[in-house]
């Protein structure tokens, strides 16, 4: 049994995109997500969690304790059923067994946390009522992410493209090429803020120090082996981690996030940024509250 983490953490991820679409909006023709009031680009927490899951799955290759629950091509019920089988219960008799065994719910939940890294990390709703009433409980994970927002407004562009491959025989008789389009952001630097609760790790999922180091590794490398022509060139530029000396923390998270400043090096330039080198990232470590230390990676 792994020892749960004993310290609270907050962290800031800085990542950028060049000539790509970091997170398309299916309700807007897959255009890059943008806050209509401010023009700031948006990348959802779900999108980033998917990248982290993909990295862990690639590195661990379904090793015991590091499987992925929310996984492409694997119905959730299939994984839920494994817990029932391991604990020798089934959906038809589980309700009666729970009446005589009040700890069964927790053992089912604990089995899922122990076997699936993303449940242990992000939590999950493991209750389904489709055909088989499989209920493995609900878990609020110790690691939570906010939406990422660009540091400055972004300007999505529609790029027209052509291809020589024609779809149908009938179309081939009429034309030699077909037109298409893709959406890109020429450049955008995004900031995402996250939280790690040692209290939830101890009480609920058992998220350990080993799990935490894997999380940092996954964040730093989440774009490196998940390339796509649509997403362009994406990279994590900086991971800034604040560690508290206690389980419940020594300072409000907002105070720590405010210590991270991002500004243009040339404050008088009216041109949009086109590279990370145009920004200066500073962390005011001298004014951190007592009991908080800072670690920078990337």
């Amino acid at each position: 049994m792994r020892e749960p983490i004993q310290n609270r953490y907050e962290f800031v991820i800085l990542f950028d995109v060049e000539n790509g679409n970091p997170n398309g909006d299916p309700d807007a023709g897959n255009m890059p997500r943008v806050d209509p009031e401010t023009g700031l680009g948006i990348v959802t927490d779900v999108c980033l969690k998917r990248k982290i899951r993909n990295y862990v799955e690639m590195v661990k290759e379904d090793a015991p304790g590091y499987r992925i629950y929310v996984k492409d091509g694997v119905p959730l019920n299939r994984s839920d059923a494994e817990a029932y089988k391991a604990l020798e219960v089934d959906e038809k008799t589980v309700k009666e067994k729970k009446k005589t065994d009040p700890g069964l719910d927790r053992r089912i939940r604990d089995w899922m946390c122990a076997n699936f890294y993303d449940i242990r990390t992000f939590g999950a709703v493991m209750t389904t009522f489709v055909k088989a009433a499989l209920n493995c409980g609900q878990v609020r994970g110790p690691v939570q992410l906010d939406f990422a927002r660009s540091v400055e407004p972004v300007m999505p562009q529609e790029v027209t493209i052509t291809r020589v491959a024609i779809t149908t025989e009938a179309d081939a008789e009429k034309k030699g090429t077909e037109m298409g389009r893709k959406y890109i952001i020429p450049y955008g630097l995004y900031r995402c803020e996250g939280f790690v609760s040692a209290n939830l790790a101890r009480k609920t999922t058992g998220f350990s120090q080993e799990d935490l180091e894997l999380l940092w590794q996954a964040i730093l490398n989440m774009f490196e082996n998940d390339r796509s022509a649509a997403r362009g060139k994406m990279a994590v530029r900086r991971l800034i981690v604040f560690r508290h000396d206690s389980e419940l923390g020594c300072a409000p998270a907002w105070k720590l996030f405010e210590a991270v400043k991002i500004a243009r090096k040339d404050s008088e330039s009216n041109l949009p940024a086109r590279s990370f080198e145009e920004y200066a990232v500073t962390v005011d470590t001298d004014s951190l509250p007592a009991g908080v230390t800072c670690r920078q990676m990337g």
Side-chain angles (χ1 to χ4, degrees):
M1 183 68 178
R2 303 178 186 89
E3 185 69 24
I5 59 171
Q6 299 178 1
N7 304 87
R8 199 184 95 187
Y9 295 83
E10 274 84 42
F11 58 93
V12 177
I13 311 168
L14 300 180
F15 65 91
D16 61 1
V17 58
E18 182 179 327
N19 295 326
N21 183 352
N23 187 201
D25 185 350
D27 290 328
N30 208 44
M31 287 183 62
R33 298 179 190 269
V34 175
D35 182 337
E37 294 183 322
T38 64
L40 297 179
I42 296 173
V43 174
T44 65
D45 60 323
V46 175
C47 175
L48 297 176
K49 287 177 182 179
R50 178 74 272 153
K51 304 294 183 287
I52 293 170
R53 286 184 172 102
N54 289 346
Y55 180 83
V56 172
E57 182 181 5
M58 178 189 67
V59 170
K60 292 298 185 179
E61 295 185 337
D62 286 339
Y66 291 95
R67 295 170 60 195
I68 298 299
Y69 181 64
V70 181
K71 185 175 179 180
D72 183 36
V74 179
L76 299 179
N77 267 170
R78 187 184 302 172
S79 300
D80 296 335
E82 290 185 41
Y84 276 45
K85 182 178 180 180
L87 296 173
E88 299 181 342
V89 296
D90 60 66
E91 64 270 18
K92 296 179 180 178
T93 61
V94 67
K95 287 186 177 180
E96 291 301 318
K97 288 189 175 181
K98 286 180 180 179
K99 293 178 181 178
T100 58
D101 184 358
L104 181 57
D105 272 331
R106 183 177 180 85
R107 291 203 304 277
I108 293 173
R109 186 196 71 186
D110 288 349
W111 190 94
M112 296 295 285
C113 288
N115 283 272
F116 294 95
Y117 176 82
D118 56 337
I119 296 177
R120 199 162 61 246
T121 305
F122 303 125
V125 177
M126 302 171 287
T127 304
T128 58
F129 296 99
V130 180
K131 293 185 179 179
L134 296 171
N135 183 355
C136 294
Q138 298 183 23
V139 176
R140 181 155 61 100
V143 179
Q144 300 298 329
L145 300 175
D146 280 343
F147 279 19
R149 288 186 177 271
S150 62
V151 174
E152 295 183 304
V154 295
M155 182 62 70
Q157 296 181 7
E158 183 181 54
V159 179
T160 303
I161 57 177
T162 61
R163 70 179 187 186
V164 296
I166 309 304
T167 304
T168 67
E169 291 287 350
D171 286 343
E173 296 176 0
K174 303 174 186 177
K175 54 186 177 181
T177 61
E178 286 193 341
M179 305 291 289
R181 58 180 175 268
K182 64 189 299 185
Y183 297 105
I184 67 165
I185 290 174
Y187 182 80
L189 176 63
Y190 289 74
R191 171 177 175 151
C192 175
E193 297 170 349
F195 314 83
V196 184
S197 169
N199 188 255
L200 281 174
R202 175 176 61 84
K203 291 182 176 180
T204 308
T205 74
F207 184 79
S208 68
Q209 191 65 36
E210 181 182 350
D211 293 330
L212 182 68
E213 291 304 319
L214 178 58
L215 175 68
W216 302 148
Q217 180 184 347
I219 290 173
L220 288 169
N221 294 282
M222 61 183 171
F223 301 123
E224 296 305 316
N225 294 281
D226 194 45
R227 300 295 181 185
S228 164
R231 287 195 290 274
K233 186 168 73 174
M234 298 188 68
V236 174
R237 296 292 187 165
R238 199 74 56 84
L239 173 59
I240 302 163
V241 178
F242 297 99
R243 178 184 182 273
H244 298 256
D245 284 346
S246 67
E247 179 182 287
L248 298 180
C250 307
W254 64 265
K255 285 189 177 182
L256 307 182
F257 293 144
E258 285 189 348
V260 181
K261 304 291 186 183
I262 307 166
R264 291 283 289 273
K265 292 179 180 177
D266 184 357
S267 59
E268 297 181 359
S269 175
N270 294 320
L271 296 175
R274 286 294 183 265
S275 72
F276 180 69
E277 285 68 31
E278 297 183 46
Y279 290 98
V281 179
T282 58
V283 183
D284 187 6
T285 55
D286 293 336
S287 64
L288 290 179
V292 178
T293 55
C294 179
R295 172 187 177 191
Q296 297 190 51
M297 294 173 270

